[in-house]
Amino acid sequence: DSGVTQTPKHLITATGQRVTLRCSPRSGDLSVYWYQQSLDQGLQFLIQYYNGEERAKGNILERFSAQQFPDLHSELNLSSLELGDSALYFCASSVGAGGYTFGSGTRLTVV
Amino acid sequence: SQKIEQNSEALNIQEGKTATLTCNYTNYSPAYLQWYRQDPGRGPVFLLLIRENEKEKRKERLKVTFDTTLKQSLFHITASQPADSATYLCALETNFGNEKLTFGTGTRLTIIP
C-alpha cells in the first residue's frame, strides 16, 4: 500500500457517459497529480493541484476536469467519453521536491 | 520540441550481470531526474532522484548517473535478479513555476535466470 488511494479500481462505461475518479493523497502531501497511461502514449501528465489550487496543466482535454477539496482528496471528472479515453488513470502525491507516490490506478474501459 | 528517450523498449540481461538503462533528453533544463519502476497494471514506484548538480547517486544495488552536458542519465542495477524484471521509467522535473514530472516511455527489463 503506497498510501495513495484511488477508487474505483476498474470502471466500464459506454461512450458519451461521464465518470468521476477519486484520489486520496498520502497523509501530509499537499500536491496531487493526475496522469493518463495508454498503451501507445505512455504516462501523460494531465493536471496538478496544490493545497486546493490548480498549479499546472498538461495535455488535459476540455472534456476532462479536476478539483481538489479542502480535505485534499481530488476528483477527476471525464465526460462525453470516447473509446480513445480507455486507459489507466493514475493519481500521485508529493510533499515537495522529491519522488512522487503513485496510487494503484483506475482502469477505465469505454465501450 | 522537448523529448525524453529511453534507449530501448526492451532489454534482456542474464541474472547476476549489471543492467544499464539509458535516458536521453533534449530541450530540457531539468532540476531533477528521477527513476521509477513499474510492474504490469501497477502504479510507478519511485526509486531514485538525482539533482542537476549531482553526478552520481546510489541506493543498494542501484546507481544513477546524471550528465547535464551530454543530457543523459544512466541507471544501473548490479547483481541483477529475476525479481528486477519490470519496466523502468525516467522522469524529468523542471522548476519553472510548477512541479510537473514528465516521463519517458520506459524500458522493459527482463532478467533471465
Side-chain angles (χ1 to χ4, degrees):
Chain A
D1 181 8
S2 67
V4 175
T5 304
Q6 288 189 249
T7 56
K9 289 196 185 312
H10 303 276
L11 203 48
I12 301 175
T13 190
T15 54
Q17 294 298 305
R18 171 190 167 95
V19 297
T20 297
L21 312 184
R22 183 188 166 104
C23 168
S24 293
R26 203 176 48 165
S27 177
D29 287 356
L30 300 178
S31 277
V32 168
Y33 309 80
W34 286 98
Y35 283 83
Q36 179 193 58
Q37 187 173 40
S38 54
L39 280 174
D40 58 343
Q41 291 278 358
L43 266 168
Q44 298 292 315
F45 171 71
L46 296 177
I47 198 163
Q48 177 205 356
Y49 278 83
Y50 177 84
N51 202 21
E53 300 289 326
E54 182 185 302
R55 174 70 69 91
K57 224 169 185 175
N59 299 323
I60 187 167
L61 300 171
E62 282 192 15
R63 301 183 285 109
F64 296 1
S65 65
Q67 53 184 324
Q68 187 179 28
F69 295 87
D71 67 352
L72 300 179
H73 91 270
S74 177
E75 292 181 357
L76 179 68
N77 301 297
L78 315 176
S79 60
S80 303
L81 284 167
E82 302 173 359
L83 296 177
D85 297 327
S86 296
L88 267 167
Y89 290 84
F90 288 106
C91 165
S93 73
S94 75
V95 70
Y100 290 18
T101 302
F102 281 81
S104 54
T106 293
R107 183 176 293 280
L108 174 67
T109 304
V110 182
V111 298
Chain B
S1 64
Q2 294 177 324
K3 200 182 285 189
I4 304 171
E5 291 180 332
Q6 295 192 236
N7 57 328
S8 55
E9 279 193 25
L11 188 64
N12 296 327
I13 298 292
Q14 206 69 37
E15 182 177 2
K17 302 290 186 187
T18 295
T20 298
L21 284 63
T22 305
C23 176
N24 295 293
Y25 59 93
T26 54
N27 296 323
Y28 275 103
S29 295
Y32 311 97
L33 189 144
Q34 304 184 22
W35 284 88
Y36 288 78
R37 169 188 172 134
Q38 187 175 25
D39 292 288
R42 310 288 293 270
V45 175
F46 171 71
L47 296 175
L48 279 168
L49 175 151
I50 187 164
R51 292 176 169 75
E52 59 179 333
N53 60 351
E54 296 176 318
K55 297 289 186 193
E56 184 180 297
K57 208 75 168 290
R58 291 175 186 262
K59 179 182 173 184
E60 296 171 356
R61 295 184 296 112
L62 309 180
K63 184 177 88 170
V64 171
T65 63
F66 193 12
D67 188 327
T68 55
T69 302
L70 290 179
K71 297 186 183 301
Q72 181 181 80
S73 174
L74 299 180
F75 177 79
H76 308 272
I77 305 175
T78 58
S80 59
Q81 305 165 1
D84 296 325
S85 299
T87 295
Y88 290 86
L89 304 160
C90 75
L92 301 182
E93 186 172 18
T94 58
N95 58 356
F96 302 124
N98 65 62
E99 297 171 27
K100 184 180 76 170
L101 195 61
T102 304
F103 283 84
T105 50
T107 296
R108 190 171 63 251
L109 176 67
T110 302
I111 305 300
I112 303 165

